[in-house]
């Protein structure tokens, strides 16, 4: 096979590819052997008819189409590898000749990566701040532990709502006498003074008694997602159904044994301090990596292709739709609740998408300049982590990624992460996380494992980051 780049202008390359007649003959033979298994010709068992009868029965074009279906993509991939161009979109193919005698000749026009003019990225310097954890930090963390293990006890029928109590409410919002969509909730629990409800609502509940109802006006902000509510004042009928008092456990050795299985409160403090320090170090690493990448990207010059930006916007939309499906919602419902059109949503995603694409292209250029390679072991480790995160058997995930053409993306992600590692090492004079773990199976697996909390006591901050707020917002909360 012979492949040449005829021209590259306006980030579009034209390839001319010639495949020798012998390769075409082999492709046609494979096509015949595939088709003969699926055609019944009188006088022959299935799979036994000679080629000339198969051609006569199906038409010669069917045989050539079948051969081309496999030969053309393979020839294009080999031409891309041979010429070294970097396509970012599907090619436009034009067959110029295709026969068993003359072989295959075709032209492929495709958009390619833009040239990236890197700045002096090796001179970027970033100071690594210390990861400090104070006794007050440990105290705050342990207080969160107390809050997490608090019990709720009925405050009594004669209790009056006060700050710190947990109120169980029925809420119903109306605007101009009409119910507000999504503005109704029953048995909604909120700690008074926590700020979960829109400003002013919790304060108006304080002083109420169990069984009491009260109309509370709520003025929606001018930038509220629901256009029909912006700047308008609604009324929420609030019924206080129950009051509970929070009983906090005593912070002592018994507490340490109950919640963390350690012998003493002092041992719990030491464990929490160690884990908070690990989290602080991880935050510092993330901050340094972000600063280094931002500076390197800012120093580079390139044209961001609209093709890649559009694709990244579509990926972000697909991710959003998947999240909404898992929450029992859909994109149409989301658009209605946020008061925007699909076009407006796509436009709001463009800035982040453009930044993502620019960063990826710059990191790819750094990886190329630094000669960064990705090993099979690193790809395998990345797949193993993905399989664990998706709770999918590794062989099944590997096969799915290969079938869908996702393996190149896995390799690219590992390469970019290694490029960031190299940049961080240059900017700080310290080995990056994955370089420090080079002796492990994956260059990144060690860094990720280092960030994972040990078994036993898990800092509340880490739990909050992972879980988020389990309770969905009411209309009153959404009025923020």
């Amino acid at each position: 096979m012979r492949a040449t780049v005829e021209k590259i202008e306006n980030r579009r390359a034209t390839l001319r590819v010639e495949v020798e007649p012998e390769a075409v003959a082999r492709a046609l033979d494979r096509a015949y052997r595939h088709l003969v298994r699926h055609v019944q010709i009188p006088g022959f068992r299935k799979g036994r008819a000679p080629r000339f009868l198969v051609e006569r029965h199906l038409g010669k074009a069917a045989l050539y189409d079948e051969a081309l279906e496999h030969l053309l993509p393979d020839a294009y991939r080999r031409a891309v590898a041979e010429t070294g161009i970097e396509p970012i979109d599907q090619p436009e193919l034009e067959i110029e000749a295709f026969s068993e005698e003359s072989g295959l000749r075709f032209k492929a026009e495709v958009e390619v990566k833009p040239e990236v003019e890197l700045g002096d990225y090796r001179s970027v310097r970033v100071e690594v701040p210390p990861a400090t954890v104070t006794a007050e930090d440990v105290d705050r963390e342990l207080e969160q532990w107390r809050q997490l293990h608090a019990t709720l006890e009925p405050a009594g029928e004669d209790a009056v709502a006060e700050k710190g109590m947990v109120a169980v409410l029925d809420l119903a919002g109306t605007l101009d006498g009409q119910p507000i969509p999504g503005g109704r909730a029953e048995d909604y629990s909120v700690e008074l003074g926590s700020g979960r409800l829109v400003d002013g609502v919790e304060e108006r509940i304080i002083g109420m008694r169990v069984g009491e109802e009260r109309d509370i006006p709520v003025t929606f902000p001018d930038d509220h997602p629901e256009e029909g509510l912006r700047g308008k004042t609604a009324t929420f009928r609030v019924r206080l159904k129950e009051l509970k008092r929070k009983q906090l456990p005593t912070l002592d050795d018994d507490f340490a044994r109950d919640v963390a299985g350690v012998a003493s409160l002092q041992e719990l403090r030491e464990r929490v301090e160690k884990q908070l320090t690990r989290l602080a170090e991880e935050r510092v690493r993330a901050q340094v990596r972000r600063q280094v990448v931002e500076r390197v990207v800012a120093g580079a010059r390139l044209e961001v292709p609209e093709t890649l930006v559009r694709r990244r916007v579509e990926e972000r939309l697909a991710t959003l739709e998947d999240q909404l499906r898992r929450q029992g919602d859909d994109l149409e419902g989301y658009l209605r609740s946020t008061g925007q059109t699909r076009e407006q949503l796509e436009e709001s995603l463009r800035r982040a998408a453009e930044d993502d694409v620019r960063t990826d292209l710059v990191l790819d250029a750094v990886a190329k300049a630094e000669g960064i390679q990705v090993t099979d072991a690193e790809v395998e480790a990345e797949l193993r982590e993905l399989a664990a995160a998706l709770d999918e058997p590794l062989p099944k995930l590997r096969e799915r990624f290969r079938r869908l053409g996702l393996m190149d993306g896995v390799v690219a992600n590992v390469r970019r992460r290694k490029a960031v590692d190299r940049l961080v090492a240059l900017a700080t004079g310290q080995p990056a996380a994955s370089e420090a773990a080079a002796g492990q199976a994956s260059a990144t697996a060690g860094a990720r494992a280092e960030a994972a909390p040990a078994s036993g006591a898990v800092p509340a901050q880490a739990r909050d980051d992972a879980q988020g707020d389990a309770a969905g917002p009411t209309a009153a909360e959404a009025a923020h």
Side-chain angles (χ1 to χ4, degrees):
M1 190 190 82
R2 190 164 68 92
T4 57
V5 180
E6 187 174 89
K7 61 178 180 179
I8 295 183
E9 54 185 46
N10 297 325
R11 288 189 293 99
R12 293 192 70 82
T14 300
L15 289 178
R16 288 200 175 273
V17 184
E18 296 181 10
V19 180
E20 62 276 7
E22 293 79 7
V24 171
R26 290 192 296 270
L28 287 169
D29 186 58
R30 284 193 299 270
Y32 153 69
R33 284 186 277 109
H34 172 75
L35 291 174
V36 75
R37 295 197 304 267
H38 303 280
V39 64
Q40 184 67 58
I41 295 179
F44 294 91
R45 286 182 294 170
K46 187 175 287 189
R48 296 291 186 177
R51 176 173 162 178
F52 78 93
L53 286 179
V54 172
E55 289 184 9
R56 183 183 300 170
H57 184 77
L58 297 177
K60 201 167 185 178
L63 192 68
Y64 273 72
D65 287 346
E66 175 71 20
L68 195 62
E69 185 175 337
H70 299 279
L71 184 61
L72 188 59
D74 180 65
Y76 172 72
R77 282 192 295 268
R78 290 165 56 197
V80 167
E82 186 176 312
T83 58
I85 66 168
E86 297 180 279
I88 61 173
D89 204 359
Q90 294 299 314
E92 296 177 8
L93 301 173
E94 180 183 335
I95 308 298
E96 297 178 332
F98 182 38
S99 71
E100 200 164 358
E101 295 75 30
S102 63
L104 169 66
R105 292 200 316 274
F106 66 92
K107 181 173 70 173
E109 185 175 324
V110 66
E111 187 176 4
V112 295
K113 276 185 179 181
E115 291 292 329
V116 177
E117 184 181 331
L118 292 171
D120 187 10
Y121 66 89
R122 282 181 159 265
S123 68
V124 171
R125 295 293 179 268
V126 171
E127 184 177 348
V128 181
T132 57
V133 174
T134 66
E136 289 76 16
D137 294 330
V138 176
D139 290 340
R140 280 193 293 271
E141 179 64 27
L142 289 174
E143 180 59 27
Q144 289 189 53
W145 278 65
R146 289 183 73 209
Q147 296 289 336
L148 282 170
H149 290 84
T151 57
L152 296 176
E153 298 182 358
E157 294 182 359
D158 297 329
V160 176
E162 59 187 54
K163 189 174 181 179
M165 283 186 173
V166 173
V168 181
L169 311 168
D170 283 349
L171 301 164
T174 59
L175 180 64
D176 298 330
Q178 298 298 317
I180 298 175
R184 185 180 185 87
E186 294 183 356
D187 296 325
Y188 183 78
S189 296
V190 61
E191 182 178 347
L192 299 178
S194 65
R196 286 188 62 185
L197 299 181
V198 68
D199 291 346
V201 174
E202 291 175 28
E203 289 81 353
R204 296 290 299 272
I205 294 173
I206 291 174
M208 291 178 63
R209 295 180 180 275
V210 174
E212 185 178 348
E213 295 186 6
R214 182 173 293 178
D215 289 334
I216 300 178
V218 172
T219 300
F220 293 93
D222 293 334
D223 60 351
H224 190 273
E226 189 68 44
E227 186 175 356
L229 298 178
R230 293 173 186 169
K232 295 185 179 180
T233 299
T235 300
F236 277 83
R237 169 58 64 96
V238 177
R239 180 171 181 265
L240 180 57
K241 300 179 70 174
E242 191 177 356
L243 284 171
K244 300 177 182 180
R245 294 186 187 277
K246 185 181 289 188
Q247 301 294 325
L248 297 176
T250 302
L251 200 59
D252 55 16
D253 292 345
D254 289 338
F255 177 81
R257 281 192 290 270
D258 291 342
V259 303
V262 295
S264 66
L265 178 60
Q266 180 58 33
E267 188 176 346
L268 177 59
R269 289 187 65 90
E270 291 171 358
R271 178 181 291 187
V272 168
E273 181 179 8
K274 181 184 290 186
Q275 294 182 352
L276 287 177
T277 299
R278 185 181 294 116
L279 287 173
E281 290 171 346
E282 184 62 23
R283 283 195 296 271
V284 167
R285 280 195 291 270
Q287 175 186 337
V288 169
R289 291 171 76 85
R290 185 169 55 251
Q291 289 178 351
V292 170
V293 171
E294 287 175 352
R295 294 188 186 183
V296 172
V297 171
R301 296 178 60 185
L302 70 153
E303 180 183 354
V304 179
E306 174 61 24
T307 298
L308 295 182
V309 174
R310 186 171 61 251
R311 187 178 304 157
R312 192 60 60 93
V313 169
E314 291 169 355
E315 289 171 358
R316 285 175 170 267
L317 275 175
T319 299
L320 174 61
E321 289 187 275
D322 182 60
Q323 292 172 344
L324 291 170
R325 269 195 304 273
R326 285 188 271 114
Q327 296 169 6
D329 203 349
D330 58 24
L331 186 60
E332 291 305 316
Y334 175 81
L335 292 173
R336 285 194 300 271
S337 67
T338 56
Q340 58 183 327
T341 64
R342 184 185 181 96
E343 290 73 22
Q344 290 171 328
L345 174 60
E346 290 179 359
E347 186 59 33
S348 71
L349 297 174
R350 278 189 63 84
R351 178 64 184 272
E354 191 171 318
D355 289 343
D356 287 349
V357 172
R358 179 180 289 105
T359 298
D360 284 352
L361 291 171
V362 171
L363 291 178
D364 290 344
V366 170
K368 187 174 182 179
E370 293 290 315
I372 292 173
Q373 302 295 325
V374 177
T375 67
D376 291 342
E378 289 167 340
V379 173
E380 186 69 9
E382 184 78 1
L383 291 173
R384 190 177 297 113
E385 291 192 18
L386 285 169
L390 296 172
D391 194 23
E392 183 175 347
L394 177 59
K396 183 179 177 182
L397 178 130
R398 187 190 296 112
E399 175 57 30
R400 181 164 65 87
F401 272 41
R402 284 175 177 162
R403 186 178 68 254
L404 297 176
L406 300 176
M407 293 300 294
D408 287 346
V410 174
V411 174
N413 284 338
V414 176
R415 185 185 295 112
R416 287 164 188 157
R417 194 156 56 237
K418 292 180 71 173
V420 177
D421 292 340
R422 181 70 54 83
L423 291 171
V424 170
L426 291 170
T428 64
Q430 301 176 7
S434 62
E435 291 184 359
Q440 302 183 22
S442 165
T444 56
R448 292 187 181 181
E450 188 179 328
S455 58
V458 180
Q461 183 173 0
R463 287 191 305 274
D464 293 343
D465 290 344
Q467 297 172 355
D469 189 358
T474 65
E477 290 180 290
H480 274 293

